[in-house]
Amino acid sequence: MELILKNGLPHQEKAVHAISNVFAEDSFKKNTFYFANPKLDEDKETLLEQIKKVQKGNTVDSEYINLNGIENYLNLDIKMETGTGKTYVQVATIFELHKKFKINKFIIVVPTLAIKAGTKQFIQDSYTKKHFKDVCGYGTEIELQVLEASKTKKGKKYFPSTVREFVSGSSQNANKIYVLLTNMALFSTRQDAMLNRNDYDYGPEGFHRPVEALKATKPFLIIDEPHRFSKEQKTFDFIVNDIQPQCIIRFGATFPTITKAKTTFKDYHNLLYNLTACDAFNQNLIKGIAKEHFEPLSNKEDKVKIMSVQSKTAVKLNYIQKGNNTKSFELKKGDSLSLISTELEGIVIEAIGSNYIELSNGQTKFQGEEFINDIYSSSYQEQMLRLAIDRHFETEKINFDRKFKIKTLALFFIDDIHSYRKDEKSEKETYLKNTFEKLLLEKINEVLPKLSNENDSDYIEYLKASKLDISACHAGYFSQDNTNSDEEIASQINEILFDKKKLLSIKTEDGKLNTRRFLFSKWTLKEGWDNPNVFTIAKLRSSGSENSKIQEVGRGLRLPVDENGNRISNEDFKLNYIIDFTEADFAEKLVKEINDELPKGFNISKEDIIRVAKKLDISENDLFKQLLINDYIDMDRNITIEKSNRFFEEYPDFATGLSNNKVTDRNKVKERKVKIRVAQYGEIKTLWEAINQKYLLFYEKIENDNYLKNELVLLFKNDVFVDVIISSKREILNTSDGLMILNESSGNQYKIIKKLAYGEFLKRINKQTNIPIQLLNQALIEYSETNKIEEDKINEFSVANFVSKFNDWKINNLQGKFSYSKSNIKINATALTFANGTPKLEITQGVIGTNFVEGTPVEKYLYDTFAYDSPLEKSNIQDSINEVVVYGKIPRRSISIPTITGQSYSPDFMYVVKKSDGNKILNIIVETKDVKNESDLRKIEEVKINCAKEFFKQLTIDGYSVAFHEQIGHTKMKQIVDDVLM
């Protein structure tokens, strides 16, 4: 399997362009030395103006813009949530800055070795190189040097080779970008540190201190995970004062906090782009989260309290049992807490401080602190393991039923390494591993008999292979493993840390089934490691940490990839997150954390008022008056702080924050399954199979007689080529009736030069329209015979103009010039059926409706549950019509009708009806639009519906009669049925 990277993702492109748009072609002076970057030579005021322009384009909140400033170096910040592709954006930024401004010396600094390994793997992987060189069209490659700690040796000191290679790289080689990757520990201020010492044999270009050589390259420096690099740290001081980069670009999901005048705020410094966790969840850029926990096994409430710590050598603890006498214990470093209670088996005191102890589960407990025994009970852990395995198998079955399967992984965080990995110095059993293998085998034996040999043959084969070698299904990685010489352990570590493609593959390169999908670690995999196909994370014992909740789940947030390496981005996926009862409020804390990071500016925009007024079906002025009269806002649309809670309760459409169902608590909201009624499916089976036939869209005579080329020439003549114009906005402060007011005045407009190479111009149009580059070139040649194309007008604005006009042309000119033709592609499994056509027993509620009401639908309805998306759909489901034999909601995105807009289309309802005398049976497909009238439909929706009409006409011609109808606003379904039966 080869992972397939996607370019052109809007949330990633915005971040890359935010950085490159800070600079202009004349922002840099040519480099003086061949080994150095061009020199940034722009005055601070100009840069700050450009930064503000970029921030405005990315709607960065004013409270962050107020933190702008430039010191001795230019700092630029990009905030992107975990799982949205930060590393990809870092590398894309490097290529973009090299392409536009010939910057070719970059230093990447990361906080940990794990992140360093992940970054190195991504940059050096063949699919990454091919993607940026060929797919993105940069035509260049990164030459990566990885700085490693030097081993202490006596004798002659050799200048670090990686620094030598990095510094010596020539800017005259346009096909190379030189990148030095290091972890923060190597940026030490110590005089004898590797980069600071000056007793090496000789260095490049006469430099004897590596840090001086790095400084001379005038590098651009990228910081990953900036919350680990506060500006008070010596590492940051070393970067600013010793390396002295021209520009520091910080990429992170979390930024450090600073406190000034008793106010704490995020240390943003020229924040150009802010992709919050809220944005990432709401835009389906990452998985949603379903948290789950077990309540305590008992109500004993047994506790251990740390009474005192004695001279860092021993600790006194009390064992408090309800209804029994308190017992006292004195333990030393290395003692197990099982001496107090067997429920604490596996927990060892690893260190004793002045007033605290450190436990082997990663927790630090302070003098006077108490903790509950129940969560450490092996029986409680066993139930957590069982639950995690159950959730894994639920997801794995769904992912195996896909046309292109998704390998499903689960990750377990444990506290006691030797409960999983055998301690050669001890006779202790690996009780956790043994329990897991027992439970996994039980689950496989439970699932296998329920599977169908016809429908689930691949999954049966996979589970049988798992059963044959249970130990091959799981693997572990712990920090101690780095010194382990065991070949099997080394193989596991390599697959987990470095061979992501193998871990994501259902089959190995030699065709054998790869059943390894359960991973164990002791927090070692928490930072710097992730895998897109992790669908379940289980924290078998609480970390006791107050770390960011979003960071904790970050290992499993990325969207999954299928067996072909394609990332799946058009569905709602959930990460199962299983924890113990001490973190029962995890979901609430996570939602609060996500919403708390949103800007606190209490102001609503004009656009907000227009949007909400339209939704409430009142005029903008009336809504504004209501808000003023109730004292919810002032004349400047600032929300009255004292009444903000009542305001958002009464007008929830103004609220911002995390969308519903992105973070769910399974202990409070049980996931609903909807049963398919088998008898009813039998009545609608023929219709369902007919609309699931694959049809191809053909354009008729478009390329005959040069029709399309001639149309393209006409499009180019339609004012496509324009200058890039920048406009100023002028506001004048005046007084009126004793008040200060702002009046807008006419500003100035300036033409700026922002040319594209001709080949790049054609490529960008081709990418957005699929028009062959050769045909575009022919049309432009013909256009240029009678029209002069100014070189400055071959720019991004002209590309956008053409794409917009071409899309309009398709909508206006291709209707009536296309047809559908049935393909020979065999129907595979569908949303409602297995591959052999038999109906599934149940589907997830979300695919037919996000809303739910109690009750049982009429017998004619295909499902046993009321699930809908709009009031109109709810009305359709609840209406009982005599002439209807069977009806049902079509699962979301299950029918994919190609349209001339370039987007596919899927209708909403299907009906089988008959006349009252029972003589004639007809089929109806319905598109519901909960709008007042057809004029309220967007043009693109109207075109898609027109394409659907043509599709169902062709279906009728091919021998299966289907009537397609729109249901607009208050039209009742009974009216449509009566019209069809007339």
Side-chain angles (χ1 to χ4, degrees):
M1 185 188 79
E2 194 71 41
L3 288 177
I4 299 171
L5 296 175
K6 285 186 180 178
N7 63 325
L9 296 178
H11 73 281
Q12 294 176 346
E13 280 196 332
K14 283 181 181 179
V16 176
H17 293 155
I19 296 167
S20 64
N21 288 344
V22 167
F23 310 106
E25 286 186 16
D26 57 358
S27 297
F28 296 89
K29 277 187 178 179
K30 191 175 180 182
N31 54 341
T32 308
F33 301 103
Y34 78 93
F35 56 80
N37 275 328
K39 183 182 178 183
L40 180 59
D41 188 42
E42 192 76 86
D43 64 89
K44 292 183 179 180
E45 288 73 20
T46 303
L47 281 171
L48 284 171
E49 279 300 314
Q50 195 58 27
I51 286 168
K52 278 189 179 179
K53 183 180 175 185
V54 171
Q55 289 171 324
K56 185 177 180 182
N58 287 330
T59 59
V60 174
D61 195 83
S62 58
E63 72 175 84
Y64 303 145
I65 294 176
N66 292 335
L67 301 174
N68 287 357
I70 299 176
E71 299 171 9
N72 296 330
Y73 60 93
L74 173 64
N75 187 95
L76 303 173
D77 286 346
I78 298 291
K79 183 181 184 303
M80 294 181 69
E81 194 43 64
T82 301
T84 57
K86 272 196 286 83
T87 306
Y88 178 95
V89 171
Q90 289 172 21
V91 177
T93 298
I94 288 172
F95 279 102
E96 190 71 7
L97 292 178
H98 175 260
K99 176 184 174 181
K100 285 189 171 182
F101 310 112
K102 297 183 170 57
I103 309 298
N104 79 329
K105 293 288 175 79
F106 295 86
I107 298 174
I108 301 176
V109 191
V110 301
T112 66
L113 292 174
I115 298 176
K116 183 178 174 182
T119 305
K120 175 186 175 183
Q121 181 187 1
F122 180 79
I123 293 176
Q124 290 186 334
D125 213 309
S126 59
Y127 66 80
T128 304
K129 292 179 179 179
K130 182 179 179 182
H131 173 78
F132 285 106
K133 185 176 182 180
D134 300 329
V135 179
C136 296
Y138 286 110
T140 56
E141 287 188 356
I142 286 176
E143 185 172 294
L144 182 68
Q145 301 295 331
V146 183
L147 191 63
E148 304 288 3
S150 60
K151 294 180 180 178
T152 305
K153 291 182 180 178
K154 292 182 179 180
K156 198 172 184 180
K157 300 290 190 297
Y158 293 98
F159 197 93
S161 60
T162 52
V163 177
R164 183 189 302 277
E165 293 299 320
F166 173 75
V167 173
S168 301
S170 174
S171 61
Q172 295 170 4
N173 187 346
N175 295 322
K176 289 282 186 185
I177 305 172
Y178 303 94
V179 176
L180 180 69
L181 172 64
T182 181
N183 52 297
M184 65 190 298
L186 300 182
F187 272 17
S188 171
T189 56
R190 291 191 346 263
Q191 288 304 306
D192 62 344
M194 175 174 56
L195 298 179
N196 287 327
R197 59 194 309 153
N198 60 2
D199 57 348
Y200 294 111
D201 51 348
Y202 66 93
E205 303 304 317
F207 294 106
H208 290 280
R209 289 182 70 219
V211 69
E212 292 292 340
L214 293 176
K215 173 183 170 183
T217 65
K218 299 188 183 302
F220 270 46
L221 188 140
I222 290 172
I223 290 178
D224 192 16
E225 304 288 356
H227 67 288
R228 303 285 294 273
F229 294 81
S230 73
K231 291 176 182 175
E232 289 75 31
Q233 284 179 327
K234 290 182 178 180
T235 300
F236 201 88
D237 181 73
F238 180 82
I239 289 170
V240 172
N241 295 315
D242 293 82
I243 302 290
Q244 294 185 18
Q246 295 189 84
C247 180
I248 295 175
I249 308 172
R250 300 189 297 174
F251 290 89
T254 310
F255 279 72
T257 56
I258 54 176
T259 302
K260 288 184 180 178
K262 297 183 179 180
T263 302
T264 300
F265 51 91
K266 290 289 184 183
D267 183 22
Y268 294 127
H269 192 176
N270 303 324
L271 179 64
L272 300 176
Y273 180 60
N274 184 15
L275 181 67
T276 64
C278 188
D279 296 328
F281 279 112
N282 291 348
Q283 295 173 34
N284 284 337
L285 303 178
I286 53 181
K287 297 187 188 95
I289 300 168
K291 161 260 156 189
E292 196 165 7
H293 74 272
F294 280 117
E295 292 302 330
L297 289 169
S298 67
N299 294 315
K300 291 194 299 183
E301 299 179 12
D302 293 355
K303 298 177 182 178
V304 174
K305 183 173 182 177
I306 301 173
M307 303 305 295
S308 63
V309 179
Q310 300 174 357
S311 305
K312 299 184 180 180
T313 58
V315 57
K316 282 192 173 181
L317 305 108
N318 279 358
Y319 183 36
I320 305 166
Q321 295 176 288
K322 198 171 183 178
N324 291 316
N325 294 331
T326 297
K327 297 178 182 178
S328 295
F329 296 84
E330 184 174 306
L331 302 181
K332 297 178 181 178
K333 180 181 175 182
D335 286 344
S336 171
L337 296 190
S338 62
L339 296 171
I340 299 174
S341 169
T342 55
E343 291 172 342
L344 301 174
E345 173 70 29
I347 308 296
V348 174
I349 298 175
E350 290 197 336
I352 301 177
S354 57
N355 66 338
Y356 65 88
I357 60 173
E358 291 180 4
L359 303 177
S360 59
N361 65 350
Q363 292 183 325
T364 299
K365 299 291 183 184
F366 289 87
Q367 187 170 306
E369 193 172 345
E370 298 178 343
F371 51 94
I372 302 169
N373 290 16
D374 237 349
I375 60 170
Y376 299 110
S377 161
S378 58
S379 54
Y380 187 86
Q381 278 195 317
E382 182 173 332
Q383 297 313 311
M384 289 181 71
L385 277 173
R386 191 186 301 277
L387 177 61
I389 291 171
D390 285 346
R391 292 299 181 204
H392 170 87
F393 272 79
E394 287 174 11
T395 310
E396 185 172 76
K397 177 64 171 66
I398 292 169
N399 287 341
F400 244 87
D401 282 345
R402 295 170 173 273
K403 183 178 180 182
F404 299 113
K405 300 176 181 62
I406 294 176
K407 173 84 171 286
T408 307
L409 307 179
L411 178 59
F412 299 84
F413 289 125
I414 65 176
D415 59 354
D416 181 11
I417 297 169
H418 298 303
S419 67
Y420 179 84
R421 185 87 79 217
K422 177 68 177 171
D423 182 3
E424 299 300 332
K425 300 175 184 176
S426 167
E427 296 297 318
K428 182 179 172 182
E429 288 285 323
T430 53
Y431 66 90
L432 191 72
K433 184 178 81 169
N434 297 346
T435 302
F436 171 78
E437 291 186 344
K438 179 194 76 168
L439 294 174
L440 179 58
L441 186 59
E442 285 176 5
K443 187 65 182 178
I444 292 172
N445 287 332
E446 174 194 326
V447 171
L448 274 172
K450 299 178 182 178
L451 299 176
S452 160
N453 287 323
E454 191 170 359
N455 299 323
D456 303 310
S457 56
D458 288 349
Y459 193 40
I460 290 171
E461 185 184 1
Y462 191 70
L463 293 187
K464 284 182 176 178
S466 300
K467 188 175 175 179
L468 282 174
D469 189 355
I470 287 291
S471 64
C473 298
H474 60 90
Y477 172 63
F478 308 94
S479 56
Q480 287 91 327
D481 290 338
N482 293 325
T483 58
N484 199 310
S485 58
D486 186 287
E487 287 187 13
E488 173 57 28
I489 292 175
S491 172
Q492 291 181 20
I493 294 169
N494 184 68
E495 187 170 340
I496 293 171
L497 289 187
F498 306 115
D499 201 347
K500 183 181 288 188
K501 287 182 284 189
K502 184 177 180 182
L503 200 56
L504 290 170
S505 299
I506 293 172
K507 290 187 176 181
T508 59
E509 290 181 355
D510 59 4
K512 294 180 181 177
L513 289 168
N514 179 11
T515 61
R516 182 166 288 156
R517 57 208 192 271
F518 302 98
L519 310 177
F520 290 79
S521 183
K522 182 189 173 181
W523 310 113
T524 313
L525 291 175
K526 275 185 67 179
E527 191 171 65
W529 182 93
D530 58 65
N531 190 297
N533 288 12
V534 170
F535 282 86
T536 300
I537 294 179
K539 283 171 63 178
L540 292 184
R541 285 178 182 167
S542 170
S543 63
S545 168
E546 285 303 317
N547 287 342
S548 160
K549 300 303 173 191
I550 195 72
Q551 289 281 345
E552 285 193 18
V553 295
R555 303 315 101 209
L557 287 183
R558 288 186 185 275
L559 295 178
V561 298
D562 65 21
E563 59 188 329
N564 297 320
N566 292 297
R567 193 170 300 279
I568 312 300
S569 57
N570 58 350
E571 299 180 37
D572 290 331
F573 293 101
K574 279 283 197 296
L575 170 69
N576 302 305
Y577 194 62
I578 296 165
I579 51 184
D580 66 56
F581 66 84
T582 64
E583 296 186 84
D585 59 352
F586 177 90
E588 288 89 344
K589 283 186 174 180
L590 176 58
V591 171
K592 183 178 185 301
E593 179 183 316
I594 291 169
N595 287 336
D596 279 354
E597 76 166 1
L598 296 175
K600 299 300 185 291
F602 269 64
N603 179 276
I604 56 177
S605 66
K606 289 179 182 177
E607 291 76 15
D608 289 332
I609 291 178
I610 293 169
R611 174 179 57 82
V612 176
K614 187 174 181 181
K615 193 164 186 180
L616 297 177
D617 198 19
I618 61 175
S619 73
E620 300 154 32
N621 287 337
D622 286 345
L623 176 57
F624 185 68
K625 287 174 189 174
Q626 285 179 19
L627 300 178
L628 277 175
I629 291 168
N630 291 320
D631 195 26
Y632 288 146
I633 61 172
D634 61 21
M635 291 295 294
D636 295 320
R637 302 185 306 282
N638 294 308
I639 299 170
T640 307
I641 300 295
E642 296 78 11
K643 295 191 175 182
S644 60
N645 289 337
R646 280 173 54 194
F647 166 69
F648 286 118
E649 284 175 11
E650 193 170 336
Y651 296 94
D653 293 314
F654 282 109
T656 59
L658 191 64
S659 299
N660 289 336
N661 301 321
K662 294 301 177 183
V663 177
T664 57
D665 189 334
R666 288 186 189 267
N667 293 83
K668 296 181 180 178
V669 181
K670 301 299 180 186
E671 187 180 69
R672 293 186 182 275
K673 294 288 185 181
V674 174
K675 288 192 174 358
I676 299 172
R677 292 167 164 171
V678 177
Q680 282 78 350
Y681 177 77
E683 297 278 6
I684 211 166
K685 179 175 186 287
T686 309
L687 172 59
W688 177 250
E689 290 178 349
I691 62 177
N692 269 277
Q693 293 286 345
K694 300 300 178 188
Y695 274 70
L696 302 177
L697 179 66
F698 288 96
Y699 295 108
E700 297 170 359
K701 302 179 181 177
I702 281 185
E703 296 190 39
N704 291 359
D705 303 320
N706 291 321
Y707 170 76
L708 184 54
K709 187 185 79 171
N710 295 335
E711 290 293 312
L712 294 179
V713 173
L714 291 175
L715 281 180
F716 280 119
K717 288 181 178 179
N718 188 15
D719 298 326
V720 163
F721 294 100
V722 294
D723 290 316
V724 179
I725 302 295
I726 185 170
S727 302
S728 67
K729 180 182 178 183
R730 193 166 187 240
E731 294 179 327
I732 302 173
L733 191 63
N734 293 317
T735 58
S736 175
D737 297 328
L739 298 173
M740 300 297 292
I741 61 170
L742 278 177
N743 291 328
E744 289 192 11
S745 174
S746 58
N748 289 344
Q749 293 189 338
Y750 301 96
K751 172 184 170 182
I752 60 175
I753 307 301
K754 206 171 183 183
K755 296 181 290 187
L756 289 175
Y758 179 67
E760 180 66 19
F761 178 77
L762 296 180
K763 268 200 257 182
R764 292 197 184 190
I765 294 177
N766 162 260
K767 181 179 170 184
Q768 297 178 63
T769 63
N770 290 321
I771 302 172
I773 288 178
Q774 186 177 4
L775 184 59
L776 283 169
N777 184 49
Q778 291 171 359
L780 276 168
I781 291 172
E782 186 170 320
Y783 168 80
S784 65
E785 291 172 357
T786 55
N787 300 269
K788 182 182 178 183
I789 304 177
E790 296 178 32
E791 194 175 336
D792 292 351
K793 292 185 178 180
I794 300 180
N795 56 46
E796 293 177 4
F797 278 34
S798 300
V799 171
N801 262 351
F802 179 83
V803 172
S804 174
K805 292 177 188 296
F806 181 71
N807 287 336
D808 289 343
W809 176 85
K810 280 200 303 181
I811 289 171
N812 294 325
N813 292 272
L814 293 186
Q815 296 190 62
K817 292 180 179 167
F818 67 91
S819 62
Y820 290 95
S821 177
K822 186 177 176 181
S823 75
N824 294 321
I825 300 173
K826 182 186 173 186
I827 298 178
N828 209 313
T830 70
L832 299 180
T833 62
F834 297 108
N836 69 344
T838 58
K840 296 177 179 178
L841 295 177
E842 59 185 18
I843 56 174
T844 304
Q845 178 201 310
V847 300
I848 59 169
T850 55
N851 301 312
F852 168 83
V853 290
E854 296 291 344
T856 304
V858 295
E859 288 186 11
K860 298 176 181 179
Y861 193 53
L862 182 59
Y863 313 108
D864 71 342
T865 303
F866 284 115
Y868 61 94
D869 287 316
S870 69
L872 185 57
E873 291 186 359
K874 179 182 177 183
S875 173
N876 285 350
I877 296 169
Q878 292 179 329
D879 286 347
S880 180
I881 303 171
N882 289 335
E883 292 83 358
V884 171
V885 178
V886 64
Y887 67 110
K889 181 88 186 290
I890 297 174
R892 190 176 289 118
R893 291 190 290 267
S894 59
I895 308 298
S896 185
I897 301 170
T899 73
I900 61 173
T901 67
Q903 302 171 14
S904 61
Y905 168 76
S906 183
D908 295 316
F909 279 89
M910 49 186 173
Y911 286 76
V912 175
V913 299
K914 65 179 179 181
K915 287 192 173 184
S916 54
D917 59 9
N919 286 334
K920 188 170 184 180
I921 292 182
L922 296 169
N923 305 290
I924 308 173
I925 296 294
V926 178
E927 170 67 21
T928 61
K929 290 295 178 188
D930 209 353
V931 294
K932 286 184 177 179
N933 49 59
E934 289 192 39
S935 64
D936 289 337
L937 287 175
R938 291 188 303 138
K939 181 71 176 176
I940 195 167
E941 290 295 323
E942 185 183 327
V943 172
K944 285 160 80 172
I945 289 172
N946 288 338
C947 289
K949 290 176 181 176
E950 292 300 317
F951 172 82
F952 288 111
K953 280 182 188 175
Q954 186 62 48
L955 204 61
T956 301
I957 292 170
D958 289 344
Y960 194 82
S961 178
V962 178
F964 176 77
H965 280 260
E966 301 163 69
Q967 184 185 23
I968 303 294
H970 300 298
T971 305
K972 292 294 184 183
M973 198 59 220
K974 172 68 172 165
Q975 295 172 243
I976 294 175
V977 171
D978 288 346
D979 289 344
V980 171
L981 291 176
M982 283 180 64

